């Protein structure tokens, strides 16, 4: 998978629909949320109030389909999109061109896929990459801090980690605050309202082996959950796990 | 100066006008910028694009005179304010009540005074605290990334540091990214358009002794310079060096 972001985007533009975990190692992947200009302040304020879930990597100008770190076309170059109207998901498409509007402001949020390469290099196995599946994601019972029309639950991604490597996983991911940083929860899924790990709300389940602890990281699907729960008039997001692959290097978001 | 934030704010409310460097050690000081609701997105976007100068600690609701981390009255509890109209400073006051408007959104940005206590504890002298004066601040020739109506130069604060302690000062302040973090420039003031250290644009000059290097940190006066240069219709800021003393502990903004 040593392709460039431009090559990956061309494949998605041509219609390939696949989760992007493990794609383009070393290049930053991002969550997309595009909202009308008059909701852009709400999104940015929601991000400021929920920084671990919504680290803002880049914000486009109204109507723009590219941003400083994404030299492609945001309408076509992700593998899949979800379209929201008045708090309901109304379409899931591989090309959002027909839904895009001139007043949309595109937000790119950091994605935990960015630190997976660093986890692997530190000897921490990443189960969903080994399995070639999407990362499991769960709506939690933890509320985000609301902002304007946006409110909703924290969404988390989960990776099972051998108990002996939990500290390593915490240390490695702490150094990437712009892509969700350290886990928000370690073990005890019920405490955050996750009753069955085999039934993720988004993505695919993964095996949790004996001696492994489930680690939960804040997830960039959170702002989409807030658009949904808040009944926002219109928005376009990436399909969970089907990210925007940017032209920014992962190292740009590493804390020394 | 071991008083609480509430005690300091009472003194400022009563009319005391003094730079706040060295006040309430361990408590976070903040830059204030309040703008009309319809400019709030521009400010938040400017902050996202210029994070080292404008680390957002808190955002108030429209019209609110307190925020989560500031349990006082933003109109009266800072030592001094500057009022802006259409890109001009039209008043400098110790009580902004007469100028406050129902549609104002208050932003609190991190302030480098927060890491001065840590510098002193690490053995790095802080000249302007020793001298009991305001920190020197300079408009630079470095442009910020514009956002909406806001554009202007980066403003920096300066502290002279003995050459043997420059690395320590960099390491200590790097751990406080939410209060401007590491210096943006070390030595060579002319390269950032600062031709005369004895003539700061804000605050007081300090002595730079033989063997000392001037270190420049991004400064939270930057958004006010952008309001000024951008011709924003209306805004209220703190007077440089005369900060909002908040109820948040400095340790909250320390990276582990």
């Amino acid at each position: 998978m040593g392709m460039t972001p431009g090559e990956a985007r061309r494949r998605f533009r041509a219609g390939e629909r696949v989760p992007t975990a493990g794609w383009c190692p070393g290049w930053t992947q991002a969550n997309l949320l595009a909202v009308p200009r008059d909701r852009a302040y709400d999104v940015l304020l929601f991000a400021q109030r929920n920084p671990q879930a919504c680290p803002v990597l880049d914000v486009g100008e109204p109507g723009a389909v590219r941003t400083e770190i994404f030299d492609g076309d945001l309408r076509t170059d992700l593998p899949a999109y979800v379209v929201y109207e008045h708090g309901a998901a109304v379409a899931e498409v591989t090309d959002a061109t027909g839904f895009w509007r001139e007043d949309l402001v595109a937000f790119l949020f950091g994605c935990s896929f960015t630190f997976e390469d660093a986890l692997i290099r530190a000897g921490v196995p990443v189960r969903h990459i080994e399995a070639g599946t999407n990362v499991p994601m769960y709506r939690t019972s933890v509320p985000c801090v609301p902002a304007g029309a946006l409110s909703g639950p924290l969404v988390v991604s989960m990776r099972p980690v051998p108990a002996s490597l939990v500290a390593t996983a915490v240390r490695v991911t702490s150094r990437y605050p712009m892509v969700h940083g350290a886990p928000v929860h370690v073990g005890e899924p019920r405490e955050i309202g996750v009753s069955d790990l085999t039934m993720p709300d988004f993505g695919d389940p993964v095996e949790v082996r004996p001696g492994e602890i489930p680690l939960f990281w804040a997830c960039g699907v959170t702002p989409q959950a807030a658009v949904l729960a808040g009944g926002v008039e219109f928005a376009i997001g990436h399909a969970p796990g089907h990210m925007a692959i940017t032209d920014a290097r992962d190292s740009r978001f590493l804390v020394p």
Side-chain angles (χ1 to χ4, degrees), chain A:
Chain A
M1 289 294 182
M3 72 183 79
T4 67
E7 286 162 357
R9 291 192 300 250
R10 263 194 298 282
R11 287 172 59 165
F12 304 146
R13 199 180 316 150
E16 187 163 349
R17 190 191 193 292
V18 61
T20 52
W23 281 58
C24 302
W27 297 97
T28 300
Q29 302 200 19
N31 297 272
L32 169 69
L33 184 69
V35 298
R37 168 68 184 84
D38 61 5
R39 283 289 172 220
Y41 181 67
D42 291 357
V43 172
L44 210 41
L45 189 61
F46 186 82
Q48 194 275 330
R49 291 179 176 170
N50 302 280
Q52 205 161 2
C54 311
V56 182
L57 301 185
D58 208 357
V59 185
E61 295 297 329
V65 298
R66 67 189 62 219
T67 76
E68 190 209 331
I69 65 168
F70 186 88
D71 186 23
D73 187 324
L74 286 168
R75 299 169 297 188
T76 56
D77 293 3
L78 280 65
Y81 302 83
V82 181
V83 181
Y84 299 94
E85 284 181 13
H86 300 285
V90 296
E92 185 156 338
V93 292
T94 60
D95 181 338
T97 306
F99 294 94
W100 204 266
R101 297 174 11 176
E102 278 303 302
D103 66 339
L104 289 186
V105 175
F107 293 84
L108 294 177
F109 300 102
C111 169
S112 55
F113 289 175
T114 295
F115 59 53
E116 291 182 337
D117 190 38
L119 284 172
I120 292 167
R121 280 184 284 111
V124 179
V126 178
R127 183 70 31 79
H128 65 99
I129 291 186
E130 291 168 358
T133 57
N134 199 350
V135 68
M137 292 162 271
Y138 307 85
R139 284 179 217 273
T140 69
S141 55
V142 181
C144 290
V145 184
L150 275 72
S151 66
L154 176 68
V155 178
V156 294
S157 63
M158 189 277 285
R159 292 162 188 80
V161 174
S164 63
L165 291 171
V166 169
T168 300
V170 170
R171 273 192 292 110
V172 167
T173 59
S174 292
R175 297 182 64 205
Y176 290 90
M178 287 305 284
V179 297
H180 306 305
V184 291
H185 201 79
V186 175
E188 304 296 334
R190 266 170 236 277
E191 294 216 344
I192 52 171
V194 176
S195 53
D196 186 351
L197 288 177
T198 70
M199 298 280 284
D201 294 296
F202 312 100
D204 303 312
V206 295
E207 185 190 3
V208 182
R209 297 180 186 156
E212 291 183 340
I213 310 289
L215 269 59
F216 299 91
W217 281 267
C219 174
V221 171
T222 301
Q224 292 190 49
V227 156
L228 204 54
V232 169
E233 300 79 2
F234 186 80
I236 298 176
H238 69 288
H242 300 68
M243 316 306 293
I245 302 185
T246 77
D247 300 283
R249 295 275 185 185
D250 288 346
S251 54
R252 176 164 164 177
F253 303 108
L254 180 66
V255 168

